[in-house]
Amino acid sequence: MTTRTMLFKIYRYDPDKDNAPYMQDISIEVDSVTDRKLLDVLVKLKAKDDTLSYRRSCREGICGSDAMNINGKNGLACLTEVKDLKEPVVLRPLPGLPVIRDLIVDMTQFFKQYHSIKPYLINDTPPPERERLQSPDDREELNGLYECILCACCSTSCPSFWWNPDKFVGPAGLLNAYRFIADTRDEATNARLDDLEDPYRLFRCHSIMNCVDVCPKGLNPTKAIGKIKEMMVRRAV
Amino acid sequence: MVNRIVVGAHYGLKDWIIQRATAIIMAIYTVIFLAVVGAVSPNSFEAWRGIFAGGFMKFITFLFFVSLFYHAWIGVRDIWMDYAKPDGLRLVLMIATAAVLVGYAGWAVQILWRM
């Protein structure tokens, strides 16, 4: 068991007390065996200074709560290896969303966009006795789409989302939109494409692939957006 | 009028396709242009003029400029959409951009067919 001291620079802001946000330097002893992920260190940091605020829940990359900007790149604290981090480790809240306190952001706008794509199966035919079946090939298309945990790492790393968060659906929303467009059990394909054919909702995406770069689940929103555009082209020509 | 966020103009696909098509046209023209200039190696005004004297060269050069201006229209409009927040300002900037580009297109025609 080896321990070392690591330096952290953490964005702090408590609107009840602080006039402006500031960066706080904190050193902490990190154990190479027990503190393997950044979230482990954040738990230790909170034990040292309990005013430090961040979201967390499952600690295994499923809930998407502990998304933050780690050394300039969005990611999940619970999936980030401490040994790979360059010091000082700079932690900031996700960019482009209003800060509630410290590393906690207000995700209202992000979820508003997600809800706008109607993230549920639309099928008005009477359900069969057991379940709506798909062929293995049709089901295959949903791989790489359904795994999205809505952590907002992608959308908050996208400049188009920074400039137009109220109008551009964002990579997470568009990936989920394609998840339902691609679903053979869904019957609202045309309405979904109509809704997205818009200079702001879809066509703010210029395929710079920041979303692909940061996705902690290794998903590819740019590819999904490309497939939406391809379907629109196929429908139009 | 309440100041609600309205979105859903339902256009964009055509522009997206045209932006890609014009990019391909410009890329092909660049290759043809470089090949012609390489073959002729013009060293005088008359030689340069000779390149654009033929109908085919006039046609593809005109096509290139139309592609360039349409491509620029979509790109510059995107910039205004991202950064010019007041709706009125954005409209004025878009109209100004379109006016300038249409003017340029006319100017390009005049230059090409004067040769």
Side-chain angles (χ1 to χ4, degrees):
Chain A
M1 191 193 317
T2 52
T3 60
R4 65 181 170 121
T5 307
M6 277 185 87
L7 178 63
F8 284 78
K9 282 180 182 292
I10 303 179
Y11 178 102
R12 301 298 305 268
Y13 180 57
D14 179 351
D16 291 337
K17 285 193 294 187
D18 305 323
N19 289 325
Y22 63 97
M23 298 302 287
Q24 182 189 21
D25 290 3
I26 314 177
S27 297
I28 188 120
E29 287 289 305
V30 175
D31 189 305
S32 63
V33 177
T34 57
D35 304 326
R36 290 183 51 210
K37 304 288 183 181
L38 176 60
L39 183 61
D40 299 324
V41 182
L42 278 169
V43 170
K44 261 191 173 175
L45 282 166
K46 188 156 174 78
K48 197 175 171 182
D49 174 1
D50 65 3
T51 64
L52 173 66
S53 305
Y54 56 87
R55 287 196 184 105
R56 53 118 342 137
S57 183
C58 74
R59 66 104 183 91
E60 55 186 19
I62 299 297
C63 72
S65 307
D66 60 353
M68 57 187 71
N69 189 272
I70 305 157
N71 278 345
K73 188 175 169 181
N74 292 351
L76 297 180
C78 58
L79 293 185
T80 304
E81 293 275 357
V82 174
K83 66 176 168 51
D84 299 335
L85 290 173
K86 241 176 85 181
E87 282 186 73
V89 181
V90 182
L91 301 180
R92 292 173 183 273
L94 289 177
L97 292 177
V99 175
I100 294 174
R101 180 175 163 160
D102 296 343
L103 301 174
I104 300 176
V105 289
D106 180 357
M107 308 218 344
T108 309
Q109 193 68 67
F110 172 79
F111 282 111
K112 230 174 160 174
Q113 291 297 358
Y114 172 65
H115 290 138
S116 80
I117 59 105
K118 300 197 170 118
Y120 40 82
L121 205 70
I122 299 173
N123 188 328
D124 292 333
T125 59
E129 217 160 285
R130 292 193 65 185
E131 69 229 80
R132 296 188 198 275
L133 293 172
Q134 281 195 295
S135 72
D137 282 348
D138 289 341
R139 172 60 186 79
E140 178 69 28
E141 186 63 17
L142 306 185
N143 288 344
L145 303 171
Y146 79 92
E147 298 95 327
C148 174
I149 57 171
L150 299 171
C151 63
C153 281
C154 59
S155 290
T156 58
S157 70
C158 173
S160 288
F161 190 75
W162 297 341
W163 313 146
N164 289 295
D166 49 352
K167 295 175 174 174
F168 175 50
V169 174
L174 290 170
L175 178 101
N176 280 283
Y178 183 65
R179 182 249 171 273
F180 290 98
I181 290 169
D183 196 317
T184 49
R185 297 163 296 182
D186 188 274
E187 289 186 330
T189 318
N190 251 321
R192 292 181 190 279
L193 291 177
D194 284 344
D195 169 57
L196 290 176
E197 190 185 340
D198 184 81
Y200 282 102
R201 284 179 65 69
L202 173 70
F203 289 100
R204 284 302 82 204
C205 170
H206 304 305
S207 312
I208 65 164
M209 299 177 87
N210 275 16
C211 50
V212 184
D213 185 42
V214 298
C215 179
K217 307 297 283 183
L219 308 181
N220 192 334
T222 308
K223 191 174 164 190
I225 294 167
K227 286 185 174 177
I228 297 175
K229 288 173 178 169
E230 191 191 314
M231 281 186 89
M232 284 181 179
V233 174
R234 271 172 37 208
R235 189 174 71 151
V237 297
Chain B
M1 187 188 77
V2 283
N3 194 19
R4 292 189 62 186
I5 290 163
V6 278
V7 65
H10 295 306
Y11 72 92
L13 177 68
K14 192 187 75 190
D15 292 336
W16 183 77
I17 296 173
I18 290 177
Q19 199 174 30
R20 266 127 202 94
T22 51
I24 293 168
I25 291 170
M26 287 190 285
I28 294 171
Y29 177 81
T30 306
V31 173
I32 296 174
F33 177 76
L34 289 176
V36 171
V37 169
V40 178
S41 336
N43 52 8
S44 66
F45 176 71
E46 289 309 316
W48 275 106
R49 204 178 157 143
I51 290 178
F52 298 99
F56 176 69
M57 202 60 189
K58 272 195 172 64
F59 171 75
I60 59 166
T61 307
F62 174 66
L63 193 62
F64 167 79
F65 278 114
V66 170
S67 299
L68 176 68
F69 298 139
Y70 210 126
H71 197 88
W73 156 245
I74 298 162
V76 174
R77 190 201 63 189
D78 278 351
I79 295 172
W80 301 143
M81 280 176 150
D82 281 347
Y83 301 108
K85 289 295 155 191
D87 300 336
L89 172 68
R90 203 160 57 242
L91 182 63
V92 169
L93 287 168
M94 284 180 183
I95 292 171
T97 306
V100 166
L101 291 172
V102 169
Y104 282 168
W107 195 6
V109 168
Q110 195 210 1
I111 293 169
L112 274 172
W113 267 271
R114 199 170 53 194
M115 296 221 201

